[in-house]
Amino acid sequence: MKLIGAYRSPYVRRVAVSMNLMGMVFEHDPIPVFDDQDAVRKFNPLVRVPTVVLDDGESLVESYAILDTLDEMAGPDKRLMPASGPERRNVMKLTAVATGTMDKAIWAVYEGRFHPKEKVHRPWIEHNEEQACGGLGFLNDCAKAAGDGWLAGTDRISQADVSGAIAYAFTNMARPKLGLAEKCPDLAAFVTRCEATEAFSSVAP
Ligand SMILES: N[C@@H](CCC(=O)N[C@@H](CS)C(=O)NCC(=O)O)C(=O)O
């Protein structure tokens, strides 16, 4: 199995950490998606990462769809999104807040990166940053309520923890001026705990 995309992409990284946690061995190909579009297009018509290429050559696209397939492959004891019921709903909600936070942080980054200086619209950047902070504030409340436990109150790590930790780590790296460590101290402490583990540290951005 091959994972395409650099680990500085939070979507790529959530797939990588998930595969580590599920004990799946994979080859990593950090193709720079903006600089080598043809190499990605061969496997993904949208030219986006993450893209996963299975051993039989079939490719998987979009991190949520990739993770859904990997959960199914991993089986009930290792899957990171609970299969059903209130626990699934809760993990799904926290994960959605985490990926929404990633989206908003990235849009704030792209506004400056892909527009000429005179066309960068500062209020749009601030709007996205505010939404990212909203998502992280919500996850901070979850971390506070969880204490030493997991964000969604599960008895083992779930996709909410993987994506929540990566949403914080990415936003903090991409938007350092937001002062997230002060705004979200409980989430910051939780992320420090996650980043110290092999599953996270071996796929650092
Ligand atoms: N919703 C997608 C988002 C993936 C995404 O936006 N990836 C970025 C890298 S962080 C990308 O491939 N950007 C290239 C582009 O959109 O042109 C997912 O979850 O996989």
Side-chain angles (χ1 to χ4, degrees):
M1 188 152 48
K2 184 160 77 175
L3 171 62
I4 298 174
Y7 292 146
R8 70 174 165 273
S9 159
Y11 313 100
V12 173
R13 195 166 180 233
R14 80 187 189 110
V15 171
V17 169
S18 300
M19 289 204 276
N20 285 341
L21 289 168
M22 294 191 280
M24 293 175 173
V25 178
F26 64 95
E27 182 195 333
H28 181 222
D29 191 347
I31 300 175
V33 66
F34 289 105
D35 299 331
D36 195 355
Q37 300 204 347
D38 287 342
V40 179
R41 190 177 287 109
K42 272 194 282 184
F43 302 104
N44 183 341
L46 293 169
V47 195
R48 284 176 117 186
V49 293
T51 297
V52 164
V53 186
L54 300 177
D55 292 341
D56 64 4
E58 183 186 354
S59 63
L60 309 176
V61 306
E62 278 283 333
S63 61
Y64 79 87
I66 294 169
L67 289 169
D68 188 63
T69 302
L70 297 181
D71 267 350
E72 196 176 31
M73 286 162 64
D77 295 340
K78 288 189 178 166
R79 58 179 301 137
L80 292 167
M81 180 63 70
S84 63
E87 199 171 59
R88 176 180 173 83
R89 272 206 309 280
N90 196 32
V91 172
M92 187 84 89
K93 177 177 176 181
L94 269 60
T95 304
V97 170
T99 54
T101 298
M102 293 172 194
D103 294 345
K104 291 286 146 182
I106 293 233
W107 291 5
V109 171
Y110 281 3
E111 178 69 17
R113 182 170 170 194
F114 293 109
H115 287 130
K117 225 175 182 171
E118 66 281 6
K119 290 196 173 159
V120 170
H121 191 53
R122 189 73 223 161
W124 177 239
I125 295 180
E126 282 157 13
H127 172 82
N128 283 289
E129 287 178 342
E130 201 176 306
Q131 285 172 300
C133 286
L136 293 172
F138 172 84
L139 294 170
N140 186 64
D141 291 345
C142 297
K144 193 171 187 175
D148 290 338
W150 301 109
L151 291 183
T154 49
D155 53 13
R156 64 182 178 88
I157 192 165
S158 78
Q159 190 53 242
D161 304 297
V162 174
S163 295
I166 291 172
Y168 174 91
F170 174 78
T171 310
N172 197 34
M173 178 178 71
R175 312 309 284 169
K177 288 191 183 146
L178 291 177
L180 292 175
E182 292 76 41
K183 284 191 177 111
C184 306
D186 300 279
L187 185 59
F190 173 77
V191 174
T192 302
R193 183 150 62 93
C194 291
E195 293 285 4
T197 65
E198 174 77 16
F200 281 78
S201 64
S202 63
V203 294

